[in-house]
Amino acid sequence: MHLVVMAVVPIVLLLGLGTVLRRRLVTDPGFWRGIEWMSYRVFTPALFVTSIAATDLTAASPAALLPSLAVPVVVVSVLVIALRRPLRANGPQLTSLVQGSIRINTYIGLVFASAAFGPEGVAAFALAAAVMVPLVNVISVSVLSKHGDRDDRDPPTLWRELLGNPLIQGCVAGLALSLLHIDLPAFLATTLDMLAAPALVCGTLAAGAAITFRLRRRDVVDVLSTSALKLVALPLAAVAIATALGVSGATLTSIAIICAVPTAPSAYVLARRMGGDTHLIASITGAQTLLSIATLPFIVGLTTG
């Protein structure tokens, strides 16, 4: 229960605050577009740079870590795309279904990993995040580039979308700094830390501002299906693969946690910028955060009990 209070409840409160602010106090749409732009272009990329750069990517063998994370994420993504016709999802809805099935809230994961194993858990979780964050962003941007509803979208320019996406740029920069063992000057590192600090708050408030309690009938099916995949199927598959490969201890728990955390608020920001279904992804984010109060402790218990 302590983990739930420390990790999940604050996210729920911020989502609720964003909803109240948007409807009662800060009703100017231009304000929220500015928050979304700063989150997408500045704050979240800075968070990815600082978190991945601080991770020692040689501390764990990629032979077990990569397949344990990449295989279930890719399989779930392909499954959601394959189910597009039975789910009767249009392009923007499909992009939000994919994001809602694979995106991760690293803040919640870090709190759980720290509480479970202390500094060892944080290090193991950071390694898992260094694999997952670039992977889910490449998949999300690829799907949005092809299926997002944007007037300026040019389907043949997928690589331009990938290379120009600030979230992926942040991942690449962080990976380069870590792999090349580059230490940034103190003033620059401090600046990045300051820019990264608002990422979670602004992204969560923006997602909360987009939440509506008037769900469309099909939204209920979409929210439940993505939640089942993201909060249950994905982590169970990852744990099964990791266990078969001999992974145990803090690394196994971190794999379970990073796959079991709810969809990140940055999914809403990305959907807004690239033509996804923002109504749907905001609803998925809110619902999964609430549901994870029950599912996360259960999944973590499977690897620590």
Side-chain angles (χ1 to χ4, degrees):
M1 181 58 68
H2 175 70
L3 287 177
V4 171
V5 173
M6 292 299 295
V8 181
V9 172
I11 302 296
V12 174
L13 293 177
L14 282 175
L15 286 168
L17 178 60
T19 302
V20 173
L21 288 174
R22 176 66 178 87
R23 285 157 178 74
R24 300 294 182 185
L25 299 174
V26 188
T27 58
D28 180 13
F31 172 84
W32 294 102
R33 284 195 295 269
I35 291 292
E36 293 160 8
W37 190 95
M38 289 296 293
S39 296
Y40 179 70
R41 294 286 180 182
V42 181
F43 301 147
T44 304
L47 177 64
F48 288 170
V49 172
T50 56
S51 59
I52 295 177
T55 303
D56 181 7
L57 300 179
T58 64
S61 171
L65 192 61
L66 285 174
S68 299
L69 295 172
V71 171
V73 168
V74 172
V75 169
V76 165
S77 301
V78 172
L79 176 63
V80 172
I81 294 172
L83 291 175
R84 176 182 181 179
R85 182 168 295 179
L87 291 173
R88 298 180 180 179
N90 60 29
Q93 289 166 346
L94 176 64
T95 67
S96 292
L97 291 174
V98 172
Q99 285 209 91
S101 299
I102 63 173
R103 293 297 293 266
I104 56 174
N105 190 317
T106 53
Y107 168 77
I108 294 177
L110 277 171
V111 175
F112 267 78
S114 176
F117 285 97
E120 181 186 2
V122 172
F125 182 83
L127 284 170
V131 174
M132 282 286 279
V133 170
L135 176 62
V136 299
N137 275 288
V138 167
I139 293 174
S140 298
V141 171
S142 299
V143 174
L144 277 158
S145 177
K146 182 175 178 59
H147 299 287
D149 184 15
R150 295 197 304 167
D151 293 336
D152 62 343
R153 179 170 56 86
D154 184 9
T157 61
L158 171 60
W159 285 109
R160 186 185 68 188
E161 294 282 6
L162 292 174
L163 295 175
N165 183 272
L167 304 185
I168 292 178
Q169 289 172 350
C171 293
V172 172
L175 288 169
L177 291 172
S178 178
L179 292 173
L180 298 176
H181 303 288
I182 297 175
D183 292 324
L184 294 175
F187 73 91
L188 185 55
T190 300
T191 301
L192 282 174
D193 287 338
M194 293 174 68
L195 289 172
L200 177 69
V201 173
C202 290
T204 308
L205 287 175
I211 290 177
T212 176
F213 298 102
R214 293 175 301 195
L215 291 179
R216 298 164 297 197
R217 180 177 299 179
R218 64 157 293 117
D219 287 347
V220 176
V221 175
D222 292 341
V223 168
L224 290 177
S225 59
T226 55
S227 296
L229 286 171
K230 180 67 191 67
L231 303 179
V232 181
L234 183 62
L236 289 180
V239 168
I241 294 173
T243 302
L245 294 174
V247 179
S248 61
T251 302
L252 178 62
T253 300
S254 294
I255 289 173
I257 291 172
I258 203 166
C259 290
V261 292
T263 297
S266 58
Y268 167 80
V269 178
L270 185 62
R272 170 70 75 180
R273 303 302 300 183
M274 297 190 66
D277 188 329
T278 54
H279 172 100
L280 177 57
I281 194 61
S283 299
I284 290 173
T285 300
Q288 286 189 7
T289 303
L290 289 171
L291 291 171
S292 69
I293 293 175
T295 59
L296 249 176
F298 170 73
I299 296 296
V300 172
L302 295 178
T303 63
T304 58

